Amino acid sequence: QVQLVESGGGLVMPGGSLRLSCAATGFTFSSSWIHWLRQAPAKGLEWVGTINTSGGTTYKHYLEERITITRDNAKNTAYLQISGLKPEDTATYYCSTDHIGTNKGEGTQVTVSS
């Protein structure tokens, strides 16, 4: 059974950085692409970026200068590093094994505010 647990969110001041984690169990992590998504208050789920099995990444075009997705197959964990945080980055962040969030976890809340 696929299980994904996101963590690492919190309250951050504008301009700050965070590294979010996605811990995976129940499937062969090293063989799976991992997708990060987010959902801002009163908005729909938005794809943020993807890392493939070889470590190659693709990002939402307007975020690509501020985000980095990595993975550690030995730890069955993927990461989303966000820098230069803005209030509009406030959202619940999820990881999933597909780009629409079919099996996303409960998410981790990121709030950007001064």
Side-chain angles (χ1 to χ4, degrees):
Q1 179 179 350
V2 173
Q3 185 171 14
L4 297 163
V5 179
E6 303 89 346
S7 63
L11 175 62
V12 186
M13 294 187 65
S17 299
L18 277 177
R19 189 179 78 156
L20 309 181
S21 298
C22 168
T25 58
F27 64 102
T28 305
F29 180 78
S30 60
S31 299
S32 294
W33 291 32
I34 297 296
H35 308 262
W36 282 93
L37 307 101
R38 68 183 184 182
Q39 187 164 20
K43 294 190 177 180
L45 197 60
E46 174 189 34
W47 173 79
V48 171
T50 297
I51 186 165
N52 65 25
T53 56
S54 301
T57 52
T58 55
Y59 303 127
K60 192 83 172 184
H61 66 92
Y62 58 79
L63 296 173
E64 61 187 2
E65 293 186 353
R66 299 192 292 117
I67 66 172
T68 303
I69 298 175
T70 58
R71 66 190 299 156
D72 184 340
N73 289 337
K75 295 182 178 180
N76 286 354
T77 301
Y79 304 96
L80 171 64
Q81 177 86 30
I82 317 171
S83 60
L85 281 159
K86 305 176 181 180
E88 51 263 42
D89 293 319
T90 294
T92 301
Y93 285 73
Y94 303 93
C95 58
S96 178
T97 57
D98 63 32
H99 70 285
I100 58 173
T102 300
N103 51 21
K104 66 184 187 297
E106 295 186 355
T108 187
Q109 176 67 39
V110 173
T111 301
V112 185
S113 175
S114 56

